[in-house]
């Protein structure tokens, strides 16, 4: 049995997505900018995807820009907002647990003289709104806080943050919703969010395609200059197969949404409870209530290295992660777990299980059986 539990890194595309993408490659391969029928057909596919995605966010169609993924959307939002508002101030507020596609952009902005404040988090990775209050001042031009943390699953208090910025047009609020899109409903226009990043491959869509919601009252400069596609925000011939596949993935995810999400949460809870009941010396690093996204649980198995466990489970065709996909190949310790104040032993023994709607209780029984045996074996070897 193959059990894929690394869905925060990427997901298996829906069959319908694969078909949509293949159809674009085989038949609908025109350039949306071309004036002939083939161009118009391709343009229609892009338009249809934009309609589905904007509806899922209760946004207007012209508020959605297609990009090459979450990383580009985050870069465009933060660099663009900083550039657009630099005449009003230099303070940027973000958190210490953001994805590198935010943290490293902020570091680059610090080099250029911006004053970036990184909010601390509690032991489950959640920011404290009181600290936010301390940092927020007249010099603030940008707030960028993720909706769901990719390593711990923690949901940040986005609505509370949005209250600070409401009606202040000199502050932009950006949300990295890459991990929450398709798992937790979020309507940026109603919430007071100006910019919101999403990515297709986290919700059973293709890799290399994403979106940026840009509120209709917000103007930021583009990252790329060229043929002025995407309403001049993002030049370059549209990735039609990717965009059409993204639209299909969103259409499926948002149909019967609540039931899909409840199923994922139930399967995750079954796994978490099973681990707590059968394996000793574990620490559940994620919140175990509604403050955690339905699909992620981070757990430390004390006395072992997460990486060793990962490879042992791989032999049983079970796929997990030690941290985020982007940081787990680097040997440095997770900046997220460090920010949450975990001890070295807790960080070393931490693994992330991230689920999707394809996972079942039967699979979790298989995982529990192998997990128990693997943890026991590794601990035994370590004691020798
Ligand atoms: C929270 C978060 N932001 C941004 C990204 C980057 O998205 P992409 O892989 O589409 O560039 C990821 C991917 O892991 C993520 O988890």
């Amino acid at each position: 049995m193959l059990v894929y539990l690394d869905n925060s890194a990427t997901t298996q595309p829906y069959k319908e997505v694969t078909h949509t993408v293949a159809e674009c490659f085989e038949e609908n391969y025109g350039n949306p900018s071309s004036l002939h029928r083939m161009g118009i057909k391709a343009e229609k596919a892009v338009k249809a995807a934009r309609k589905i995605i904007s509806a899922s966010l209760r946004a207007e169609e012209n508020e959605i820009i297609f990009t090459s993924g979450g990383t580009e959307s985050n870069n465009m939002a933060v660099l663009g907002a900083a550039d657009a508002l630099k005449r009003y101030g230099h303070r940027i507020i973000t958190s210490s647990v953001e994805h590198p596609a935010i943290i490293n952009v902020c570091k680059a902005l610090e080099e250029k003289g911006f004053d970036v404040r990184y909010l601390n988090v509690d032991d489950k990775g959640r920011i404290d709104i009181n600290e936010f209050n301390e940092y927020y001042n007249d010099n603030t031009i940008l707030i960028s806080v993720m909706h769901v943390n990719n390593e711990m699953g923690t949901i940040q208090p986005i609505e509370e943050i949005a209250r600070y910025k409401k009606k202040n047009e000199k502050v932009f609020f950006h949300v990295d919703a890459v991990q929450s899109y398709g798992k937790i409903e979020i309507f940026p226009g109603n919430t007071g969010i100006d910019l919101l990043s999403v990515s297709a491959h986290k919700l059973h869509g293709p890799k290399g395609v994403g979106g940026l919601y840009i509120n209709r009252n917000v103007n930021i400069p583009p990252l790329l200059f060229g043929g002025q596609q995407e309403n001049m925000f993002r030049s370059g011939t549209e990735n039609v197969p990717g965009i059409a596949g993204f639209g299909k993935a969103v259409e499926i995810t948002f149909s019967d949404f609540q039931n899909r999400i409840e199923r994922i949460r139930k399967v995750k809870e079954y796994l978490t409870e099973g681990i707590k009941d059968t394996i000793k010396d574990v620490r559940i690093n994620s919140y175990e209530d509604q403050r955690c996204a339905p699909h992620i649980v981070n757990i430390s198995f004390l006395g072992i290295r997460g990486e060793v466990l990962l490879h042992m489970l791989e032999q049983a065709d079970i796929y997990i992660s030690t941290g985020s996909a982007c940081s787990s190949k680097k040997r440095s310790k997770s900046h997220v777990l460090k920010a949450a104040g975990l001890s070295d032993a807790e960080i070393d023994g931490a693994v992330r299980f991230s689920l999707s709607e394809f996972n079942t209780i039967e699979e979790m029984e298989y995982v529990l059986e192998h997990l128990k045996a693997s943890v026991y074996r590794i601990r035994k070897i370590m004691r020798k």
Side-chain angles (χ1 to χ4, degrees):
M1 183 187 282
L2 185 157
V3 188
Y4 185 74
L5 294 174
D6 200 10
N7 289 280
S8 287
T10 198
T11 54
Q12 179 186 6
Y14 289 125
K15 285 266 177 304
E16 295 87 335
V17 166
T18 312
H19 292 153
T20 302
V21 171
E23 197 196 345
C24 285
F25 276 118
E26 286 166 13
E27 288 160 35
N28 192 2
Y29 50 80
N31 185 325
S33 297
S34 294
L35 296 178
H36 48 67
R37 209 182 315 136
M38 290 286 285
I40 291 165
K41 192 176 169 196
E43 191 188 10
K44 268 194 183 156
V46 172
K47 201 168 165 16
R50 202 186 310 279
K51 193 168 179 191
I52 294 166
I53 293 160
S54 57
S56 74
L57 295 166
R58 293 195 190 151
E60 288 175 12
E61 282 172 48
N62 60 10
E63 291 178 312
I64 303 297
I65 299 301
F66 289 115
T67 66
S68 66
T71 299
E72 184 187 326
S73 298
N74 282 349
N75 272 261
M76 183 173 170
V78 173
L79 294 174
D83 195 41
L85 298 175
K86 59 179 186 261
R87 63 182 181 281
Y88 300 115
H90 278 74
R91 175 158 296 189
I92 296 172
I93 305 176
T94 186
S95 83
S96 52
V97 294
E98 297 297 307
H99 188 272
I102 291 292
I103 299 252
N104 290 336
V105 181
C106 286
K107 296 263 181 256
L109 285 173
E110 279 184 273
E111 296 283 314
K112 291 188 174 161
F114 284 88
D115 160 31
V116 185
R117 298 300 158 114
Y118 299 88
L119 297 160
N120 292 309
V121 294
D122 68 11
D123 67 340
K124 305 277 190 217
R126 192 171 154 100
I127 67 154
D128 177 359
I129 198 74
N130 293 321
E131 193 184 26
F132 182 85
N133 200 14
E134 271 172 45
Y135 287 158
Y136 189 84
N137 65 13
D138 286 348
N139 212 15
T140 306
I141 52 160
L142 172 65
I143 305 158
S144 180
V145 174
M146 69 202 321
H147 192 195
V148 163
N149 181 267
N150 47 306
E151 292 190 43
M152 302 183 89
T154 314
I155 303 172
Q156 300 296 358
I158 295 303
E159 283 85 7
E160 285 178 60
I161 297 172
R163 266 184 237 130
Y164 278 80
K165 88 117 254 164
K166 266 200 175 148
K167 305 220 181 339
N168 185 350
E169 75 281 5
K170 293 194 189 82
V171 180
F172 288 167
F173 182 22
H174 168 250
V175 173
D176 174 353
V178 167
Q179 286 294 337
S180 66
Y181 186 46
K183 309 292 186 317
I184 301 165
E185 281 185 309
I186 183 160
F187 307 123
N190 302 347
T191 312
I193 295 167
D194 298 299
L195 300 149
L196 181 128
S197 306
V198 295
S199 178
H201 74 107
K202 309 290 186 183
L203 43 79
H204 310 286
K207 292 169 185 57
V209 57
L212 180 63
Y213 160 87
I214 307 178
N215 183 279
R216 72 195 85 98
N217 300 318
V218 164
N219 204 0
I220 56 167
L223 274 185
L224 304 178
F225 295 87
Q228 306 195 336
Q229 287 89 345
E230 294 296 286
N231 219 358
M232 301 190 17
F233 277 114
R234 208 275 183 178
S235 290
T237 302
E238 296 87 340
N239 171 5
V240 181
I243 292 169
F246 187 12
K248 182 52 80 180
V250 171
E251 180 187 308
I252 299 172
T253 299
F254 282 84
S255 61
D256 199 20
F257 182 80
Q258 292 305 341
N259 282 334
R260 282 175 199 278
I261 299 311
E262 267 325 294
R263 259 202 331 264
I264 300 175
R265 196 180 277 284
K266 281 214 176 86
V267 177
K268 181 183 81 167
E269 280 169 6
Y270 186 89
L271 174 67
T272 312
E273 291 307 316
I275 290 171
K276 288 199 297 193
D277 287 350
T278 56
I279 304 177
K280 53 178 195 188
D281 296 329
V282 296
R283 180 186 192 272
I284 312 296
N285 300 321
S286 306
Y287 277 116
E288 291 181 75
D289 54 25
Q290 297 292 329
R291 285 171 294 179
C292 187
H295 61 306
I296 300 175
V297 60
N298 190 302
I299 303 182
S300 294
F301 296 87
L302 300 173
I304 70 171
R305 294 190 67 83
E307 205 177 313
V308 177
L309 180 59
L310 178 152
H311 288 302
M312 203 171 266
L313 290 176
E314 184 181 15
Q315 287 168 22
D317 236 358
I318 297 167
Y319 300 92
I320 61 165
S321 165
T322 51
S324 68
C326 317
S327 62
S328 55
K329 281 229 167 76
K330 293 191 223 113
R331 301 243 157 205
S332 56
K333 284 200 200 316
S334 152
H335 72 285
V336 174
L337 300 182
K338 259 198 230 167
L342 269 65
S343 68
D344 281 353
E346 286 163 345
I347 297 176
D348 287 344
V351 297
R352 175 186 71 185
F353 301 92
S354 52
L355 287 76
S356 82
E357 62 187 69
F358 295 143
N359 294 122
T360 62
I361 296 283
E362 192 194 355
E363 285 180 357
M364 295 311 111
E365 279 166 2
Y366 177 78
V367 171
L368 283 168
E369 185 189 313
H370 283 276
L371 201 50
K372 232 169 28 189
S374 303
V375 171
Y376 180 79
R377 257 177 74 195
I378 301 168
R379 282 182 177 156
K380 204 167 159 198
I381 296 164
M382 297 295 287
R383 273 199 296 269
K384 274 189 187 156

